[in-house]
Amino acid sequence: MISVVGHTAIDNISKVPHLPAKNCSTHISDRQIYFGGGAANIAAGIATLGEQVTLISCIGSDFAGSEYEFWMKKIGIQRQFFVVPDANTPTAFMFTDDNGDQMTFFEWGASKAFTHAEAPHLPFVHMATADPEFNCRVAERSEFTSFDPGQDVFWYTKEQLETILVNTDILFANQHEVHQMCATLGVTKETIISQVGTAIFTMSGDGSTLYSEGSAYFIPVVPVTLADPTGAGDSYRAGFLSAYMRGYTPLTCCRIGTVTASFVVEHVGCQTHLPDWTAMRQRYQKHFGTLDLPVSRKG
Amino acid sequence: MISVVGHTAIDNISKVPHLPAKNCSTHISDRQIYFGGGAANIAAGIATLGEQVTLISCIGSDFAGSEYEFWMKKIGIQRQFFVVPDANTPTAFMFTDDNGDQMTFFEWGASKAFTHAEAPHLPFVHMATADPEFNCRVAERSEFTSFDPGQDVFWYTKEQLETILVNTDILFANQHEVHQMCATLGVTKETIISQVGTAIFTMSGDGSTLYSEGSAYFIPVVPVTLADPTGAGDSYRAGFLSAYMRGYTPLTCCRIGTVTASFVVEHVGCQTHLPDWTAMRQRYQKHFGTLDLPVSRKG
């Protein structure tokens, strides 16, 4: 069982002819609602790949009976939610105009409850972007910890990052997040890598690098027709963690993560085009060769 | 039975510390969802006052099973909806910062279906802000017509306004809307008044004026503690039309509209504090004297 801690969120993606000036209005020509939130995206990816997963999120009173709840049940995500009756489930409103310029309004909503929530004791947890204090407590109480700071990296203090990294077994970050962690901690990238043991740094469309046991491995992306890069990182982590649980080596896990992400970016939305294990394996073998059963560790 | 034609909409009212610049984001500190849309507000006011009302709106596939549908059923609004499966129910997103500056994003959504919808034949209809072409067809086919152009007054052509006004028995407008109608039509306010027979021009917190049978009557507002002026106009119309249906004189109808509106502005939201007939009558008698039963016309 993989536990994933962090946001469940609802993404409202709207197109507008122009972004409004102050005290002005604009009309929305198209609005789509997508299921999102980093932790929920990862949990959905893991569940679709066939692994057991529990999602630990804060939700509002608007969640029960919603289409999102229906979807989570359908794909088999086990849910361990902090329900905040007077709040909304975290919701993002993104408006993009005809020039590609954007404005984003993010409602933290129910996720405020993380601050005072009791951290569970977990055998295998991935901590996606969420409340730094809660993640510190989870890291200290869990046995095996995977971590990605995500866009909330700016909210972490030096002490919080130190507490988490000393308890982290696998670290995921993109280049901006690595840079920010180094700045906050006052250390080099190499120091961070040596501390966590296994680090995966992603470089958007330029692939990813695995640092493990003193070596570095580059994993190229799987070329696909890109529709929307949103959710690529989350699905990469879902693929990696599912494969890791099945006992694959970190390098194979990275390749499986890369293949999983290649499906997601072909469609708009973070959870609209997740592969099952069979679809993932077929594409894996086309690009990386035979995917044998793992011979060693089984989670 | 009063029919009301126009928008059913969902209002998302959010507070933000600051409005975002282009390609930036902000966080929402509070977001409340209110039931809105001019026609729906009026229908809710009429239903709560105890009159029979049918709401004619365009809605999306998100409406069935929603809390808004539940609310309409609860207060007894009869619904005659054009359901547009691939669209959202009209939705407004309003963001207000700590300085009181705002940005509004309005999604027309399902209301696009008005353009080609078949206009019903109605014995007594109020046309709230909606598609000008549809309103023209409704005005031509209906027996007794009440009209408010609302914020969509700018969308009406000279020909459309002429078609509607020649078929209008009661006209509601605020000062901005009167001004715009005069500009579009190239006529004076007096010409419009003489054409429709009964006109009610509202002046926000400064009361309203009734023009009827060659005379003008000023109706002062009922002084209350103002929480939110939104919905005042819609509830005024609900009070007026309910009273008119019961056979009261236009002047008494205006006073009942004024009293109805005084409840709505005491709370945030257009449908959160609608009075029933008893509550309305109590406040009426406190400010305007005895409200006898009408002696003449009964709708």
Side-chain angles (χ1 to χ4, degrees):
Chain A
M1 171 68 72
I2 304 171
S3 299
V4 184
V5 164
H7 297 305
T8 289
I10 297 151
D11 294 332
N12 282 257
I13 314 285
S14 296
K15 289 181 189 165
V16 296
H18 62 273
L19 294 169
K22 198 182 281 187
N23 295 316
C24 291
S25 67
T26 190
H27 75 269
I28 295 170
S29 56
D30 182 70
R31 180 170 61 98
Q32 303 291 334
I33 295 173
Y34 295 100
F35 302 148
N41 293 340
I42 297 169
I46 292 170
T48 309
L49 284 168
E51 284 296 307
Q52 293 282 310
V53 63
T54 297
L55 173 62
I56 299 168
S57 284
C58 296
I59 56 154
S61 51
D62 53 343
F63 196 80
S66 69
E67 288 185 41
Y68 203 171
E69 183 185 61
F70 181 79
W71 164 249
M72 285 191 185
K73 286 179 180 170
K74 183 180 163 195
I75 63 173
I77 294 176
Q78 295 178 53
R79 303 166 307 282
Q80 190 177 318
F81 289 160
F82 302 105
V83 182
V84 187
D86 295 333
N88 295 313
T89 299
T91 306
F93 299 93
M94 277 161 271
F95 302 94
T96 307
D97 72 10
D98 290 344
N99 297 324
D101 289 318
Q102 289 190 321
M103 281 182 182
T104 300
F105 301 76
F106 187 75
E107 181 180 21
W108 189 254
S111 279
K112 281 178 281 199
F114 273 130
T115 313
H116 302 293
E118 191 181 350
H121 170 90
L122 300 165
F124 188 112
V125 64
H126 178 79
M127 302 185 307
T129 176
D131 186 82
E133 271 303 316
F134 183 73
N135 278 355
C136 283
R137 298 198 296 277
V138 171
E140 286 176 327
R141 299 199 63 189
S142 294
E143 291 169 35
F144 190 94
T145 302
S146 165
F147 173 55
D148 78 270
Q151 63 203 13
D152 289 342
V153 66
F154 296 96
W155 298 93
Y156 285 83
T157 64
K158 183 168 186 283
E159 292 66 33
Q160 288 169 334
L161 274 182
E162 284 171 349
T163 300
I164 289 177
L165 290 180
V166 78
N167 288 291
T168 291
D169 300 285
I170 304 171
L171 172 67
F172 294 89
N174 68 25
Q175 291 165 290
H176 304 292
E177 292 153 12
V178 173
H179 183 80
Q180 183 59 42
M181 281 193 285
C182 290
T184 302
L185 290 164
V187 300
T188 62
K189 188 172 81 170
E190 288 67 29
T191 305
I192 294 176
I193 292 166
S194 67
Q195 184 171 10
V196 296
T198 301
I200 297 102
F201 295 158
T202 54
M203 298 165 284
S204 301
D206 295 326
S208 57
T209 305
L210 165 69
Y211 300 90
S212 184
E213 298 179 358
S215 298
Y217 308 86
F218 174 72
I219 302 98
V221 296
V222 173
V224 291
T225 304
L226 184 79
D228 174 17
T230 319
D234 291 332
S235 51
Y236 185 112
R237 292 183 267 278
F240 183 101
L241 294 168
S242 297
Y244 196 86
M245 208 61 177
R246 291 184 185 220
Y248 288 99
T249 64
L251 179 57
T252 302
C253 292
C254 285
R255 288 174 177 157
I256 288 173
T258 295
V259 172
T260 304
S262 76
F263 284 86
V264 168
V265 300
E266 288 177 317
H267 288 73
V268 178
C270 299
Q271 299 180 32
T272 36
H273 196 227
L274 292 162
D276 61 16
W277 189 267
T278 304
M280 184 285 299
R281 185 171 54 202
Q282 282 176 353
R283 190 175 287 186
Y284 181 103
Q285 298 197 141
K286 194 171 157 194
H287 290 276
F288 293 114
T290 308
L291 178 62
D292 291 325
L293 288 175
V295 289
S296 57
R297 173 172 44 79
K298 179 85 183 104
Chain B
M1 171 68 73
I2 304 172
S3 299
V4 184
V5 164
H7 297 305
T8 289
I10 298 151
D11 294 333
N12 282 258
I13 314 284
S14 296
K15 290 181 188 164
V16 297
H18 63 273
L19 295 168
K22 198 182 278 186
N23 295 317
C24 290
S25 67
T26 191
H27 76 269
I28 295 169
S29 56
D30 181 68
R31 179 169 62 97
Q32 303 292 334
I33 295 173
Y34 295 99
F35 303 147
N41 293 340
I42 297 169
I46 293 169
T48 308
L49 284 168
E51 284 297 307
Q52 293 282 312
V53 62
T54 298
L55 173 61
I56 300 169
S57 284
C58 296
I59 56 153
S61 51
D62 52 343
F63 196 81
S66 69
E67 287 184 42
Y68 203 171
E69 184 186 60
F70 181 78
W71 164 249
M72 285 191 186
K73 286 180 183 173
K74 184 181 163 194
I75 62 174
I77 296 176
Q78 295 179 51
R79 303 167 307 283
Q80 191 177 318
F81 289 161
F82 302 104
V83 182
V84 187
D86 295 333
N88 296 312
T89 300
T91 306
F93 299 93
M94 278 160 270
F95 303 95
T96 307
D97 72 11
D98 289 344
N99 297 324
D101 290 318
Q102 289 190 321
M103 280 182 182
T104 300
F105 301 76
F106 187 75
E107 181 181 21
W108 188 256
S111 279
K112 280 178 283 197
F114 273 130
T115 313
H116 302 293
E118 191 181 347
H121 170 88
L122 300 165
F124 187 112
V125 64
H126 179 78
M127 303 186 305
T129 175
D131 186 84
E133 271 303 317
F134 183 73
N135 278 356
C136 283
R137 296 199 296 276
V138 170
E140 286 175 327
R141 299 200 62 191
S142 295
E143 289 167 38
F144 189 93
T145 302
S146 165
F147 173 55
D148 79 89
Q151 62 203 13
D152 289 342
V153 65
F154 296 98
W155 298 94
Y156 285 83
T157 64
K158 183 169 186 281
E159 290 68 30
Q160 288 169 335
L161 275 183
E162 283 171 349
T163 300
I164 289 178
L165 289 180
V166 80
N167 288 290
T168 290
D169 300 283
I170 304 172
L171 172 67
F172 294 91
N174 67 24
Q175 292 165 291
H176 304 292
E177 292 153 11
V178 173
H179 183 80
Q180 184 60 43
M181 279 193 286
C182 291
T184 303
L185 290 164
V187 301
T188 64
K189 189 172 79 168
E190 288 67 29
T191 305
I192 293 176
I193 292 166
S194 67
Q195 182 169 13
V196 295
T198 300
I200 296 103
F201 295 159
T202 55
M203 298 164 283
S204 302
D206 295 326
S208 56
T209 305
L210 164 69
Y211 299 90
S212 183
E213 298 179 359
S215 298
Y217 307 87
F218 174 71
I219 302 99
V221 296
V222 173
V224 292
T225 305
L226 184 79
D228 175 17
T230 319
D234 292 332
S235 50
Y236 186 113
R237 292 183 266 276
F240 183 101
L241 294 168
S242 297
Y244 196 86
M245 208 59 178
R246 291 184 186 221
Y248 287 101
T249 64
L251 179 57
T252 303
C253 292
C254 285
R255 289 175 177 155
I256 288 174
T258 295
V259 173
T260 305
S262 76
F263 284 86
V264 169
V265 301
E266 289 178 316
H267 288 72
V268 179
C270 299
Q271 299 180 33
T272 37
H273 196 229
L274 293 163
D276 61 17
W277 189 266
T278 304
M280 184 284 300
R281 186 172 53 201
Q282 282 176 356
R283 190 175 287 186
Y284 182 102
Q285 298 197 142
K286 194 171 157 194
H287 291 276
F288 293 114
T290 307
L291 179 63
D292 291 324
L293 287 176
V295 289
S296 56
R297 174 172 42 80
K298 178 88 181 104

